[in-house]
Amino acid sequence: MKRVSTVIVRKRIVAVFLIGLFVFAAINIRLGYVQFFLADELIQKANDLWSRDVAFEAERGRILDVNGDVLTKNVSAPTVIIAPSQVKNPRETAEKLANVLGISTELAYEKITQNSSQVTIRPQGIKISKKQEKALQTYNLEGVYLAKDSKRYYPYGDDLSHVLGFTGIDNQGLMGLELYYDDKLSGTPGSLSYYSTGKGGRLKEPADVYKPPVDGLTLKTTINSKVQTIIERELDLAEAKYSPDGAIAIAVNPKTGGIMGMSSRPNFKPGQYKKFDSTVYSRNLPIWSTYEPGSTFKIITLAAALEENAVNLTEDTFNDDGDIKVGGKELHCWKSGGHGHQTYLEVVQNSCNPGFVNLGMKLGKEKLFSYIRDFGFGKETGIDLQGESNGILFKPENVGPLELATTAFGQGVSVTPIQQVMAVAAAINGGNLMEPYIAKEWIDPVTKEVVSETEPNLIDSVISESTSEKIRYALENVVANGTGRPAYVEGYRIGGKTGTAQKVGPDGSYMQNNYVLSFVGFAPADDPEIVVYVAIDNPKNTVQFGGVVVAPIVGTIIGDSLSAMGVEKRTDGLAKKYQWPEQPRVSVPDLIGLKKSEIVEYQTNLSIKASGSGNYIIDQEPKPGTNVNQGSSIRIYLSDKK
């Protein structure tokens, strides 16, 4: 037998040793690499395999009006979450769940027995009612959890519906402010993490990990709920009286651009939006709809003419014989036979189409359309809501003498209500075109501190303060002496302009007896604090003139809003020029201290009603000096002692 030499044996031993040493070193290096470089990753993977998370939604931020009144809030509505591995009696649990949630036992059983760490039953188990929550708490079912959740509640019902918008089943914003500011309102979800066995059983160790949700920020808006309530009331009355195809109202602070109120008809209830046709809630008409503005657009033509010194309101005159010929076509005044010889202040008061055509011709195409663009027409205003339209203007190359003439009195151009009201606000606030906005402040829901605040944004200065002052004077005359008289409110200096625009049909031609009637008003005329624009689409059973239908609505909105805002009445405004069959208002006399027998002479224009007994008048309502309509009732309070 051949014997192996000692040298060879040694070499083999050394080789085996070296190989073993190399393998050992490789294992150590790998262990070190895993421990020092892959540890976090592997721990995370292990946690993912062993841990189970129960999500907790953050509280969505509330929406407030400018004074802190709640417009949108949350109400508790828990969500049912099932951990199938923890359910010990699936059949019994399924029956009880089905009974509470109003689903079939088969569906409940299918959910409970799924091979998943957690299961929800949608939509029946999402945002359940108080009654359902109490029933599940009574059953105390193993493996069935009630996760903190909530749903949106809109305390004003259908008021401000298109502005506030609504949320979906998962509290995601779907429309309005809810959609536009969804990232700030939604917050950050939290969770409860626990560890389980391979079969899904819950482990006692390590302890559960709770990550609290971060609630969404509170949004304070520029909306004044008192003004909004007045707007909603007046639109409801107009809808009941005229059965229009639609209605729009916007109130804005002309100094800042902050929206004080906005609504339209038809509207909907945000909390029940699924019950309404999508065409109702998907279109916010004040920022989406476009139509020819009619005579309210004359304010822009007037502003351009005054800024360019093309006309003097009181010294320059125009003779209106009922029509004016432009480009071979006659353009008519709304008054048959025309208004005759007028100053341009009277042209504005009378809303005389030929007079404004003449102003447009004085300005020329380039200048008039330059001002129209400067006032914000033909582009989005930038309001913080989704779905805003641009409006439509003539292309410069398509503007001939006729197009120039019709544009001057508001026909042939297409604008949105928000463009119209912001342009008028610029015309009367000193010439500053402001960007409209609704979000005023963002507030931390815990500390109540203001996180951020929106500053008013000046887009452009389009006219001078002196021109703006002349426009305010002219438009105050419209309400006191012209076509806007129905908007007159005793004690408040109101300016404004009527609008009566014929609608364009599907075939591109003007429709017969189908108009959009509008009025834009502001007050106080010398220092405006509110601008209100209202448009009524095709009102029925009435004379279709903006001054007849819409002016009184705007007058009421402005008068009641200023009163709600604490703006005191004054006596320094223009006196109203009454026309038949209107009757001048009368001043309430001071009757306090008189004998009952001495008031006979005051009963000619007023109806006096007495309360109490005695010969002497000790009090009265309304107070002395109040202007009231002829025939109004005055109540006196009697006593035996003077």
Side-chain angles (χ1 to χ4, degrees):
M1 183 175 176
K2 187 176 182 180
R3 303 182 66 176
V4 180
S5 69
T6 305
V7 175
I8 294 174
V9 171
R10 270 192 204 136
K11 287 181 179 180
R12 287 178 178 176
I13 292 172
V14 171
V16 170
F17 176 78
L18 291 174
I19 291 172
L21 186 63
F22 176 78
V23 171
F24 182 75
I27 292 173
N28 277 341
I29 291 171
R30 178 61 181 172
L31 287 174
Y33 176 74
V34 169
Q35 184 168 351
F36 294 107
F37 296 96
L38 298 181
D40 291 342
E41 180 183 346
L42 294 175
I43 290 172
Q44 182 61 47
K45 287 182 177 180
N47 282 333
D48 291 342
L49 288 172
W50 300 333
S51 66
R52 301 291 183 266
D53 293 329
V54 177
F56 292 95
E57 293 298 323
E59 187 84 356
R60 193 170 177 85
R62 297 186 303 162
I63 302 177
L64 314 176
D65 89 329
V66 70
N67 297 311
D69 190 18
V70 177
L71 301 175
T72 304
K73 63 179 181 179
N74 307 296
V75 293
S76 177
T79 289
V80 178
I81 295 179
I82 304 166
S85 61
Q86 299 176 28
V87 177
K88 294 183 177 180
N89 192 330
R91 179 59 61 180
E92 180 184 348
T93 301
E95 290 175 354
K96 290 180 177 179
L97 266 180
N99 180 50
V100 173
L101 300 181
I103 59 177
S104 67
T105 303
E106 289 74 19
L107 175 60
Y109 186 80
E110 178 188 341
K111 294 288 185 180
I112 287 173
T113 56
Q114 283 186 11
N115 184 20
S116 177
S117 60
Q118 67 180 48
V119 176
T120 57
I121 301 176
R122 305 176 67 89
Q124 297 89 344
I126 306 294
K127 304 184 190 306
I128 62 176
S129 67
K130 288 282 187 183
K131 184 178 179 181
Q132 291 172 314
E133 178 187 10
K134 188 175 181 180
L136 288 176
Q137 288 172 338
T138 302
Y139 283 138
N140 192 27
L141 302 172
E142 289 194 66
V144 177
Y145 298 90
L146 289 175
K148 179 185 176 183
D149 204 349
S150 61
K151 61 182 179 181
R152 289 303 240 182
Y153 175 64
Y154 304 88
Y156 284 92
D158 56 6
D159 289 8
L160 203 66
S161 56
H162 288 89
V163 173
L164 294 175
F166 51 82
T167 59
I169 194 168
D170 293 318
N171 272 356
Q172 75 277 28
L174 296 180
M175 187 226 159
L177 292 174
E178 297 277 27
L179 171 61
Y180 197 90
Y181 291 114
D182 186 57
D183 57 337
K184 292 186 177 181
L185 291 169
S186 59
T188 305
S191 63
L192 173 64
S193 300
Y194 63 91
Y195 289 85
S196 66
T197 65
K199 293 183 178 181
R202 188 166 185 171
L203 295 173
K204 293 183 179 180
E205 297 292 340
D208 296 346
V209 178
Y210 175 65
K211 180 182 178 182
V214 178
D215 293 341
L217 296 174
T218 297
L219 169 59
K220 177 180 280 191
T221 68
T222 59
I223 299 294
N224 185 317
S225 61
K226 294 179 180 179
V227 174
Q228 184 67 36
T229 298
I230 294 165
I231 286 175
E232 300 286 359
R233 180 196 70 200
E234 292 305 309
L235 288 189
D236 285 343
L237 292 173
E239 193 172 36
K241 184 176 182 180
Y242 299 116
S243 300
D245 294 344
I248 290 167
I250 305 174
V252 64
N253 181 334
K255 298 175 181 178
T256 66
I259 301 297
M260 304 173 70
M262 181 187 291
S263 189
S264 61
R265 297 292 182 275
N267 60 349
F268 66 98
K269 293 183 178 180
Q272 304 173 24
Y273 72 94
K274 290 183 179 180
K275 296 182 179 179
F276 296 82
D277 190 281
S278 62
T279 58
V280 174
Y281 61 73
S282 64
R283 299 181 296 187
N284 188 358
L285 297 181
I287 68 170
W288 175 84
S289 62
T290 57
Y291 48 81
E292 293 186 359
S295 294
T296 55
F297 196 77
K298 292 174 180 175
I299 297 173
I300 310 306
T301 305
L302 175 65
L306 290 173
E307 184 71 8
E308 292 295 322
N309 295 314
V311 68
N312 184 293
L313 286 173
T314 55
E315 296 179 6
D316 293 336
T317 60
F318 177 78
N319 186 60
D320 173 29
D321 59 8
D323 55 61
I324 186 170
K325 197 168 184 177
V326 179
K329 185 174 181 179
E330 288 188 344
L331 301 175
H332 300 281
C333 184
W334 63 267
K335 182 179 180 181
S336 179
H339 294 90
H341 195 73
Q342 315 164 88
T343 64
Y344 271 93
L345 179 61
E346 292 170 323
V347 167
V348 178
Q349 290 174 190
N350 296 326
S351 194
C352 175
N353 284 351
F356 276 91
V357 170
N358 191 51
L359 286 182
M361 294 168 66
K362 285 176 178 288
L363 286 166
K365 178 177 72 173
E366 285 75 17
K367 284 185 178 179
L368 178 58
F369 276 83
S370 174
Y371 277 96
I372 290 172
R373 286 188 291 272
D374 288 347
F375 270 102
F377 295 103
K379 56 189 174 185
E380 295 180 5
T381 63
I383 189 171
D384 45 348
L385 288 172
Q386 302 280 1
E388 185 180 5
S389 298
N390 290 321
I392 303 172
L393 297 179
F394 285 119
K395 293 182 179 179
E397 62 269 20
N398 295 333
V399 177
L402 183 59
E403 289 74 22
L404 172 63
T406 58
T407 298
F409 61 84
Q411 184 174 303
V413 295
S414 183
V415 308
T416 64
I418 189 66
Q419 287 175 340
Q420 182 69 64
V421 73
M422 296 313 299
V424 173
I428 57 89
N429 71 2
N432 299 318
L433 180 64
M434 307 299 296
E435 181 178 68
Y437 68 100
I438 301 174
K440 179 177 174 61
E441 292 177 353
W442 290 99
I443 303 171
D444 187 293
V446 178
T447 65
K448 309 303 179 184
E449 294 181 356
V450 175
V451 176
S452 63
E453 186 173 359
T454 303
E455 295 294 334
N457 182 28
L458 172 64
I459 297 174
D460 194 10
S461 294
V462 289
I463 56 173
S464 65
E465 168 58 41
S466 60
T467 296
S468 182
E469 183 179 1
K470 294 173 185 176
I471 294 170
R472 294 195 297 268
Y473 172 71
L475 297 181
E476 186 179 7
N477 271 274
V478 170
V479 173
N481 305 313
T483 55
R485 285 191 307 277
Y488 190 89
V489 177
E490 194 76 39
Y492 289 123
R493 295 180 59 179
I494 297 178
K497 186 72 190 71
T498 57
T500 304
Q502 200 169 6
K503 290 167 62 177
V504 177
D507 60 353
S509 62
Y510 286 105
M511 303 169 69
Q512 296 298 316
N513 301 315
N514 196 332
Y515 296 83
V516 175
L517 309 183
S518 61
F519 190 88
V520 60
F522 60 92
D526 58 334
D527 185 20
E529 295 190 31
I530 186 172
V531 178
V532 176
Y533 177 81
V534 174
I536 306 294
D537 184 359
N538 191 28
K540 315 298 190 301
N541 305 314
T542 184
V543 177
Q544 294 216 354
F545 284 108
V548 174
V549 175
V550 192
I553 297 174
V554 173
T556 300
I557 292 175
I558 290 179
D560 290 356
S561 294
L562 289 178
S563 178
M565 292 161 60
V567 178
E568 295 183 0
K569 290 189 174 183
R570 297 153 51 183
T571 59
D572 60 343
L574 296 176
K576 182 179 180 180
K577 180 180 179 182
Y578 290 90
Q579 294 183 350
W580 187 89
E582 296 176 322
Q583 290 183 322
R585 292 159 68 89
V586 295
S587 179
V588 175
D590 187 355
L591 304 177
I592 299 174
L594 298 180
K595 291 184 177 180
K596 184 178 178 181
S597 58
E598 296 176 330
I599 64 173
V600 177
E601 63 179 285
Y602 299 108
Q603 293 180 315
T604 303
N605 294 324
L606 298 170
S607 174
I608 299 179
K609 298 179 180 180
S611 293
S613 59
N615 293 321
Y616 294 98
I617 301 171
I618 59 171
D619 201 0
Q620 69 178 78
E621 184 64 35
K623 299 299 181 184
T626 304
N627 290 323
V628 298
N629 293 326
Q630 294 189 36
S632 296
S633 295
I634 306 299
R635 183 164 294 279
I636 58 174
Y637 298 88
L638 302 174
S639 175
D640 288 328
K641 296 182 179 180
K642 187 173 181 180

